[in-house]
Amino acid sequence: MATALKPGAEGGPGGRSLGIRRPGPHRSCARRAIQYEWRRLSALRSLWLVAGLITLLGVGNGVDIGLHGGKAGYSLAAVADTLQFSPLASQAPMAAFLLFPLGMSAIGVEYSHRMARTTFLTLSSRRTAYVAKVVVPSVVAAATTLGAALLGLVTGCVVLALRGDALPDLAGLAMPLLSLTVVMLCWPTLAAGLTALTRRRGAVLAFLLLWPVIVERLAGLALEQVPGLNGVRNYLPFAAARAALHNLRDESGGPDAGFDQALLGSNAHPAIGMTIFCLFTVLVAVGGGLAYIHRDAP
């Protein structure tokens, strides 16, 4: 006589005798959250416009390297700075200013259009929703920037080869490109965390446009007037990020060395600078996550 199998027993309902593993509720929720964020992001026309613009900038950087980097025209440090979208000149990679709104909009749109409650009911986990809103825009921004930088490097090498000039030290550019990728992961994460904390996209937009360029330098000068805080400006978050990107220090002592150091605004070691910027990003992201999880949805 056949014996009825209990639910969960091998071969019965919920069993695993057929090698079928059902995804747990947390995995399924995380997958839905990531898929939703990607579909929302990829449906934005602005994403593709910005990605196309960054790609064109990357190609333009490559042409610049190819035309001016041969015959020892550019040092390896200058080539790295160009591939990083000139963080010294603009005080942050130009791609960061173009792509950080992706992280800001992921949360800001929900608050402005009162869609947060729908998201919470759909995913049943605020934590999972927040992580997806941070991770997806950050990964897209970093991948877009790295892809454009690599395309620029290839373009530069092709132009140099056609001109008969020597190629740059490709191995020496690996660390600057890695640093660029990490910094670009941080910028949308900061935007998402700050938006979750303030619920005001305008304030976050103003902060991330003005603070790295102007306000942080003024704050550093003010802090250094306090006894015991001399040199603190070298370790403020965005100054530390510039130090992290400036992996290759030009030791030639040329006429522009002092000007470049003034633009850099920090003498921190690149590893220390990266650590500070990443810790700052984590603190902002965690603070934003706590606010997103525990505040009442509008």
Side-chain angles (χ1 to χ4, degrees):
M1 177 180 291
T3 303
L5 292 174
K6 297 180 179 179
E10 188 170 354
R16 297 183 178 179
S17 61
L18 299 179
I20 300 175
R21 294 187 177 182
R22 298 179 180 177
H26 296 293
R27 183 187 302 177
S28 177
C29 183
R31 184 184 296 118
R32 290 202 310 272
I34 291 174
Q35 289 175 345
Y36 168 76
E37 287 303 322
W38 167 243
R39 288 173 182 171
R40 181 195 64 80
L41 197 61
S42 61
L44 296 176
R45 187 181 303 171
S46 58
L47 168 65
W48 301 106
L49 291 175
V50 171
L53 175 59
I54 291 174
T55 301
L56 289 176
L57 288 174
V59 173
N61 290 338
V63 172
D64 180 50
I65 292 171
L67 295 178
H68 303 98
K71 307 299 183 184
Y74 278 0
S75 65
L76 191 62
V79 172
D81 184 70
T82 303
L83 291 176
Q84 292 173 335
F85 297 90
S86 303
L88 286 186
S90 55
Q91 297 297 283
M94 183 57 65
F97 291 118
L98 294 172
L99 286 170
F100 82 80
L102 298 181
M104 185 177 65
S105 66
I107 295 174
V109 168
E110 284 197 341
Y111 288 146
S112 61
H113 294 281
R114 299 184 178 275
M115 297 168 55
R117 293 181 185 274
T118 302
T119 299
F120 298 157
L121 291 173
T122 301
L123 297 177
S124 71
S125 172
R126 295 190 181 195
R127 183 179 293 106
T128 302
Y130 179 75
V131 170
K133 291 180 182 299
V134 169
V135 170
V136 173
S138 299
V139 170
V140 169
T144 300
T145 305
L146 178 60
L150 290 174
L151 182 60
L153 179 58
V154 171
T155 302
C157 289
V158 170
V159 175
L160 286 171
L162 292 175
R163 289 165 55 89
D165 294 328
L167 300 183
D169 179 13
L170 300 182
L173 294 171
M175 188 56 67
L177 291 176
L178 176 61
S179 299
L180 174 67
T181 304
V182 175
V183 168
M184 287 305 303
L185 279 169
C186 290
W187 269 77
T189 300
L190 283 172
L194 290 170
T195 305
L197 281 169
T198 64
R199 294 189 176 184
R200 289 176 174 83
R201 285 185 289 175
V204 176
L205 182 66
F207 177 85
L208 289 177
L209 287 177
L210 296 179
W211 184 271
V213 180
I214 300 173
V215 182
E216 188 180 77
R217 287 185 177 269
L218 297 177
L221 292 174
L223 287 173
E224 290 199 337
Q225 304 305 311
V226 179
L229 294 183
N230 187 36
V232 69
R233 62 185 176 86
N234 296 312
Y235 305 101
L236 294 177
F238 292 97
R242 289 192 296 275
L245 291 169
H246 201 50
N247 303 93
L248 305 176
R249 308 297 170 102
D250 192 351
E251 306 294 345
S252 62
D256 296 331
F259 181 66
D260 289 346
Q261 182 60 38
L263 286 176
L264 183 62
S266 174
N267 58 13
H269 188 276
I272 295 175
M274 184 63 77
T275 301
I276 292 172
F277 191 59
C278 288
L279 287 176
F280 173 69
T281 302
V282 169
L283 288 175
V284 172
V286 170
L290 292 175
Y292 186 85
I293 292 169
H294 296 294
R295 280 181 185 170
D296 290 336

